[in-house]
Amino acid sequence: MAKDNIHGGHRERLRARVIADPELDTFTDHEALELLLFYAIPRADTNILAHRLIAKFGSLRAVMDASPEELATVEGIGQSAAVFISVIRSVTRKYLLSRTVGSVRLSDSDALGEALLPYFVGRKEEIAYILFLDKNRRTISCDLVCRGNVNAVTINTARIVSLAKARKAEFAILAHNHTGGFANPSQQDYLTTQKVMLALKEIDVKLLDHLIFADPLGDGELPVIGEFVSLAQSGAFTGR
């Protein structure tokens, strides 16, 4: 009981700090992680657990990027806590997307890139999305069209055409990521752009751009946060 009281008092003090500092500016990484663990592990010294996690993985970011299986190897982290930690990144991505995609300014490639950037935050494999627009260039949907591996993704043109028909789209913007830290388009990226553009043209849908994103968080060494390339803006995109 005494131990529970000690933990309870510590948790209340930490919650009081959150009320005073809701942006967590005065919190260390392990304190922020400790706070999250309150809600996954009701009765335990989450301070110790937070330190164990960061010691195991090396940083708060690495903890958040770990799989549930990896997290569960840490003493005191059960399945529920492991799942809770692992979904935080995905929930954050959805939060960012809910703020941006519906208000994309299509006349501004930089703003478009910033709006689509959350789709690629923390991704460990290459993926591709297609943004569909109506005749007034308002967003209809942004659909995942394929997943690849850490080095490549094969764009499924047939799926893009099928989705474009279902969405009754007039325009489209293709986006995919490079996980290696650089957004430089490859020869395959140019060929894919032409292939998708021609396939959509057959159903009277115009491909406006193809955006290529670097890992929005980089690899811890390269300063590539937010880096992306617009093939339309660079002049290499011939279908605009």
Side-chain angles (χ1 to χ4, degrees), residues 119 128-132 141-146 159 163 167:
Y119 281 102
Y129 279 87
I130 190 88
L131 178 68
F132 290 117
S141 68
C142 193
D143 297 286
L144 176 67
V145 289
C146 46
R159 174 165 167 75
L163 285 168
R167 304 290 187 256

Side-chain angles (χ1 to χ4, degrees), residues 8-225:
H10 176 65
R11 291 183 179 214
E12 287 307 315
R13 287 191 294 274
L14 207 58
R15 290 190 185 101
R17 285 183 58 195
V18 173
I19 293 171
D21 178 19
E23 300 299 325
L24 306 187
D25 291 329
T26 63
F27 281 61
T28 64
D29 284 355
H30 85 265
E31 286 173 330
L33 183 55
E34 177 186 359
L35 180 67
L36 288 174
L37 289 172
F38 283 1
Y39 301 96
I41 306 174
R43 294 181 180 276
D45 185 347
T46 55
N47 181 279
I48 291 176
L49 295 178
H51 278 292
R52 282 179 188 164
L53 285 163
I54 291 179
K56 165 79 172 179
F57 296 102
S59 67
L60 178 62
R61 174 193 166 186
V63 172
M64 297 302 177
D65 282 343
S67 69
E69 293 77 16
E70 292 169 327
L71 292 165
T73 65
V74 175
E75 182 184 354
I77 301 298
Q79 184 179 40
S80 294
V83 171
F84 179 80
I85 294 168
S86 68
V87 301
I88 290 170
R89 184 182 68 243
S90 300
V91 172
T92 300
R93 182 187 300 119
K94 288 184 176 296
Y95 162 73
L96 292 171
L97 290 171
S98 71
R99 295 185 60 184
T100 57
V101 173
S103 58
V104 175
R105 299 191 303 278
L106 294 171
S107 60
D108 185 341
S109 293
D110 289 338
L112 177 61
E114 290 175 8
L116 293 175
L117 181 66
Y119 281 102
F120 304 101
V121 170
R123 299 291 191 179
K124 297 180 180 179
E125 74 284 342
E126 292 199 9
I127 58 173
Y129 279 87
I130 190 88
L131 178 68
F132 290 117
L133 314 165
D134 65 16
K135 64 180 180 181
N136 296 313
R137 301 198 180 192
R138 293 176 302 203
T139 299
I140 298 173
S141 68
C142 193
D143 297 286
L144 176 67
V145 289
C146 46
R147 294 179 182 271
N149 54 42
V150 295
N151 296 314
V153 63
T154 301
I155 306 280
N156 189 329
T157 305
R159 174 165 167 75
I160 289 175
V161 170
S162 177
L163 285 168
K165 290 178 179 178
R167 304 290 187 256
K168 296 181 171 57
E170 296 278 344
F171 302 97
I173 295 166
L174 185 63
H176 86 280
N177 64 321
H178 288 175
T179 59
F182 297 96
N184 299 337
S186 66
Q187 184 61 34
Q188 186 59 47
D189 292 333
Y190 292 119
L191 293 174
T192 295
T193 301
Q194 292 295 319
K195 183 179 178 181
V196 172
M197 181 178 63
L198 291 173
L200 288 174
K201 187 176 180 180
E202 290 293 317
I203 58 170
D204 296 321
V205 176
K206 184 174 183 180
L207 185 67
L208 297 174
D209 206 342
H210 182 178
L211 300 178
I212 302 170
F213 292 84
D215 181 354
L217 296 178
D219 64 1
E221 298 176 2
L222 299 172
V224 297
I225 294 176

